[in-house]
Each structure stands twice: as C-alpha cells, then as structure tokens.
Amino acid sequence: MSGADERRLWLAAVAAVTALTLLRLYVVFATDLNLGPDEAQYWSWSTEPAFGYFSKPPMIAWIIAGMTSVCGDGEGCIRAASPLLYAVSALLIFEAGRLLYGARVALWSCLAFATLPGVSFSSALMTTDVPLLAFWSAALLALAAMLRRAPAESRLIALALGLAVGLAMLSKYAGGYFLLGLALAALIDRRVRAHVLGLNGVLILAGALAMIAPNIVWNLENGFATVSHTAYNAGLKGDLFHPDRLAEFAGAQFGVFGPVLMGVIVAGLALGLRSGAWPRATSDDAVLLAISAPVLLVGLSIAFLSKANANWAAPAYAGLALVATRWLVANANRKWLAGSFAVALVAAAALTAAALSPRFVEAIGQTNAFKLLRGWNTQGPAIALAAREGGFEAVLAEDREDMASLLYYTRRSGVPILMWTPDPTHPNDHYQMTKPYAGTPDRVLFITRREESNDVTGRFAAARETEIVSVTIGKDRQRTFRLIDLSGFQID
C-alpha cells in the first residue's frame, strides 16, 4: 500500500473518530443524568491531589482536576475527558494496527474499538477504565513498534512501553496485567523473548516502576490502603465455586465487547487449533492474544471463585479488537464485519437515547437501571438547606456512596460533611480515612437510609428525627433519607 493510501485511511479514521467524539461530547453535556457515586468520589479526590487514594491509584483524580481547572466543575466537564481519551485510544489502536497489519486493517480495528458497546456505554461516564485503556493502547503501539525493530534499535521504544504500562497502573492496577501478558508472549514468540530477556526488558520494568513508584510510596505511608482494598474486592472467601457467576461473567463479555467480535475470537481460538484452518493466525495475532490473556483468565477465575464485574476484562478489548478485526478483514468476512458494526451502532444509538431521554428509558422499562444517576441534584441541596436552617455545624453520613454524592451536590453550600467511622484505626473507605467524625462538632445532622440506626444514634446523648428527604429515582423506587439531630457524642 502506498504512502498516499495510508494517509487517506488515517484521515478517514481521524474524521470518523472526531465525528463520534463530538457526538459523545454533546451527550455528556446535554444529559440530565447526575454523577454516579463513584464519579462524585473521583471528583472529591480531585480537589485533594495526592499520589494515591483509598480504593484506586490517582490518575483519574488528576485527569478530573485538569479538566475542571479549564472547564469548570459541572457534570459535563468532569465527564468530558472520557470521550476525548477514548478518541486517543482508538487512534493509538489505528497506529498499532498499521504497524502490525497495514492501514486497511488498522482503520477497521480503530472503528471497531471506538464503537464497542462497552466503549459507547463508558464514554458517557468518567471511570478508571477510560485512562487505563488509553495507556494500555499506548503500550500496544509501543510493543508493535518494538516488534518491528531489533532489540538494539528500540531502547527508547522499550522505555516508552514501560512508561505507558506504569501510567496504566496509575489508572488502575489492572494495567500490570500487561507485564504478565509480555511474559506469556515471550514464551511463545522469539521476537518478544529477544526483547524482554535483554536490556529492553530492564528498560520496560524501569519505566513502569518509575511511574508507579510515587503510588507505592503513598501506600507505604498509608498502610497499603489501596492494595488491601483491591485484594478485598476480589472477595476470595467463603464458598469458592460459582459456575453460575463464571457463566454470567463470560456471557457479559459478549455484551460489552459485542456478540460478533467476541464470537469471532472464540471461534478463531477453537478453529485455529487446526493447522491451516480459519482464521490462519499469525505470530502477531498470537502476541496480542497473549497480552490480552491474563486479563481474561484472572477475570474468569475470580468470577468462578467469587464474583467479577464485567468491566474487569476491559484492558483486553484493545488487543482483541485488533485480532478479531484482522481475522474478519484478512479472510474477507465482510458480512460478519458489517454485522458487528450494525450491532455496535444500534447499541450506541440506544445508549445515546437513554442518556438524553428519560421517556425513552421509561419506554424500554429501564428506569431502575439509572437509579444511581438520578435525584442527587435535588436531594443534596435539600439536605444542605436543612442543615443550614437547623443551625447544624456539619452533616454526618454513614455510607461512602451517599457521602460522595452529597459532597458534590452540596459543594457550594459551605456545609461540612463528615463520615461516621466506627473504628478510626481500621477505616473501610476513603472518607473514613480522611474525613472521620471524632466527636466534634458536638451537634450534627445525621443522614441515614436505615429504619433502625441505634448503632449510631445510641452513641449520642440526644437524638431526634427532624424530617424525611425523599426523591423518586426509578419506577416505584424512592431514595429516602431520615434526618436526625444528634448531639453529645459519647466515647465508648
């Protein structure tokens, strides 16, 4: 393919990704959906820059801080980084695909990734998967470039690969799976082995360590809070055999990655075991599959032993999009490729309509699916107003998600919000660690969703319920807080 043809396909990718990104930016600014509790928590972190936080490494807080510094702290500004970073990821995948497979496969891979159902859903929210996939895609590009050069000619590329992996780990610790994937790839591919077993391997590890080192230091200074929380999330206790959850996690990947593309991967792995059979996998395919394998295998294992969220496999989507698309394009499976895009675009259209139209959500009977994203913009100010009018010195929350949402939706009220912390020596979340209630101020407005809360109110000399603040968040669903006047904290 000539250089002119490659430039034409690159410009086509840029044009398509730009148009899609502009549409997604419109959605994040036009939607009336509130920040979810996790998004609100990440925003609160962004107001207190650090090298780590209780449940996640710091990248998402840094990105939000950067966005709000130039755009403001509205929901749209907080979420705007998501479609922008997905655009970067898609174009990085184009470049990786161009180096590995040529510009034609690169174009379709770029568009396939950009329109994945999981990406369409995630692009309307600000989550840790967004920067993770951006830096993972950068690492894939560096790997593709490294594979096209001799080890002695790719020292800077190896260092860049390590830096990208380190930045991915600063986004979410799952970024470290890339290193496991490299080790697996080295077992099956002599080119990778020549790089990672020499100086390039040292440079990769050095780059990754340089990026993640500040977070390691933060964890050392804070009792390995983030690492402990990550291990706790795996939930490896109790009954360790859950074939139903394994099936649920595996099935969810067909929804997040797309039924056609995931079907192509499964069929290709099954049929490719026969020599010369479709899809006629290449050594580059094998490397990308090896990079993706640890993410999927760990997710499947945790799902079987405990429970895994569907998005835990997200880093694999970048490499798998390249492989699945190459198999379809190289083997002229045009109908299946078209079918994949048709499914992806229908899913994107439905998700866009859901974000923009409450009536559409009601029509498809999914109002309860958005319950976490509704009502906070009225409930938060109502609670802040009750605190101010009642002369309370602070609001006392007992739930991490409630506190995160209230911090955001009362951010201009000036009312302090503290976290009920039963055991200050062993905090269970970020707010118990950073904003614990320790008996002062004396009089607080306690908010709770529970009908019975004597474990909290019984610790005070005086407790009096003042009012109920309730809001509709879905079909036949209410979010109701009891507001209780507490004073005279008593130490056990």
Side-chain angles (χ1 to χ4, degrees):
M1 181 176 291
S2 69
D5 288 335
E6 285 196 351
R7 285 193 296 274
R8 178 176 55 82
L9 293 174
W10 165 250
L11 290 175
V14 170
V17 170
T18 299
L20 185 60
T21 302
L22 290 174
L23 172 61
R24 288 172 171 170
L25 285 171
Y26 169 77
V27 171
V28 300
F29 282 100
T31 183
D32 66 351
L33 294 175
N34 295 172
L35 293 185
D38 284 343
E39 291 177 293
Q41 177 179 246
Y42 302 148
W43 167 83
S44 73
W45 293 354
S46 76
T47 65
E48 301 171 349
F51 285 112
Y53 300 92
F54 186 89
S55 59
K56 295 287 189 300
M59 182 61 70
I60 191 165
W62 296 351
I63 290 171
I64 292 174
M67 290 300 298
T68 55
S69 69
V70 299
C71 179
D73 62 1
E75 291 95 331
C77 290
I78 291 170
R79 289 170 169 159
S82 183
L84 293 174
L85 284 171
Y86 273 129
V88 171
S89 299
L91 295 176
L92 288 170
I93 287 170
F94 178 97
E95 280 300 302
R98 183 184 65 80
L99 291 175
L100 294 173
Y101 304 128
R104 189 164 67 99
V105 171
L107 173 63
W108 293 115
S109 299
C110 166
L111 299 181
F113 174 83
T115 57
L116 290 178
V119 170
S120 293
F121 175 80
S122 180
S123 65
L125 305 170
M126 192 58 203
T127 68
T128 51
D129 288 328
V130 180
L132 168 63
L133 273 164
F135 292 118
W136 187 284
S137 300
L140 281 181
L141 173 56
L143 175 61
M146 195 172 70
L147 290 178
R148 292 297 177 264
R149 292 171 173 80
E153 300 171 350
S154 55
R155 304 302 188 204
L156 289 179
I157 295 173
L159 180 60
L161 172 55
L163 294 174
V165 171
L167 290 169
M169 293 175 69
L170 279 179
S171 304
K172 198 173 183 178
Y173 292 135
Y177 290 134
F178 200 104
L179 297 177
L180 293 179
L182 271 180
L184 180 59
L187 293 176
I188 62 175
D189 188 276
R190 60 179 180 78
R191 299 169 301 162
V192 178
R193 193 158 52 246
H195 284 282
V196 302
L197 293 183
L199 179 57
N200 280 358
V202 175
L203 291 171
I204 291 169
L205 290 176
L209 182 60
M211 289 294 98
I212 197 65
N215 181 251
I216 295 175
V217 172
W218 183 91
N219 269 288
L220 283 169
E221 294 174 344
N222 290 274
F224 285 96
T226 314
V227 176
S228 299
H229 176 82
T230 302
Y232 174 81
N233 272 351
L236 300 181
K237 58 183 179 180
D239 183 3
L240 295 181
F241 300 99
H242 303 278
D244 56 330
R245 295 178 182 175
L246 173 63
E248 180 183 353
F249 178 82
Q253 303 315 306
F254 284 82
V256 176
F257 190 63
V260 176
L261 291 182
M262 186 55 73
V264 167
I265 292 293
V266 173
L269 289 174
L271 298 175
L273 295 176
R274 297 161 48 196
S275 178
W278 182 91
R280 296 185 290 278
T282 67
S283 58
D284 289 331
D285 297 341
V287 169
L288 291 178
L289 290 170
I291 295 295
S292 302
V295 185
L296 290 169
L297 292 175
V298 170
L300 290 167
S301 299
I302 293 177
F304 180 63
L305 296 175
S306 176
K307 183 176 177 60
N309 296 327
N311 68 303
W312 288 4
Y317 302 156
L320 293 184
L322 282 163
V323 174
T325 306
R326 192 203 76 80
W327 287 352
L328 291 175
V329 173
N331 291 281
N333 300 115
R334 295 184 181 87
K335 291 183 178 179
W336 287 106
L337 186 62
S340 173
F341 281 110
V343 171
L345 293 175
V346 168
L351 289 166
T352 299
L356 296 176
S357 173
R359 289 185 178 180
F360 176 78
V361 175
E362 292 176 9
I364 62 175
Q366 293 298 313
T367 54
N368 289 336
F370 292 85
K371 62 183 182 293
L372 292 178
L373 306 177
R374 296 198 182 280
W376 293 110
N377 59 328
T378 57
Q379 209 160 25
I383 291 171
L385 179 61
R388 286 198 308 270
E389 291 183 343
F392 293 94
E393 298 174 82
V395 170
L396 180 62
E398 65 171 347
D399 178 83
R400 175 191 66 84
E401 292 189 349
D402 293 343
M403 181 160 179
S405 296
L406 288 174
L407 282 171
Y408 181 77
Y409 285 101
T410 65
R411 64 192 183 281
R412 307 202 199 289
S413 69
V415 176
I417 302 178
L418 300 174
M419 187 65 163
W420 176 250
T421 308
D423 184 0
T425 61
H426 295 91
N428 291 320
D429 59 50
H430 178 77
Y431 300 121
Q432 288 190 6
M433 184 172 72
T434 61
K435 299 180 184 293
Y437 179 72
T440 56
D442 179 70
R443 184 166 176 256
V444 294
L445 181 64
F446 175 55
I447 62 165
T448 181
R449 301 198 208 186
R450 296 183 291 158
E451 292 292 332
E452 178 58 59
S453 55
N454 284 343
D455 56 320
V456 178
T457 59
R459 297 284 301 277
F460 291 80
R464 179 178 62 89
E465 185 169 322
T466 61
E467 62 180 289
I468 299 290
V469 175
S470 186
V471 65
T472 299
I473 57 173
K475 185 179 181 180
D476 302 322
R477 280 184 177 266
Q478 302 279 320
R479 185 190 300 120
T480 300
F481 284 109
R482 297 167 56 222
L483 276 55
I484 304 175
D485 182 343
L486 298 180
S487 60
F489 179 71
Q490 299 172 324
I491 300 176
D492 283 343

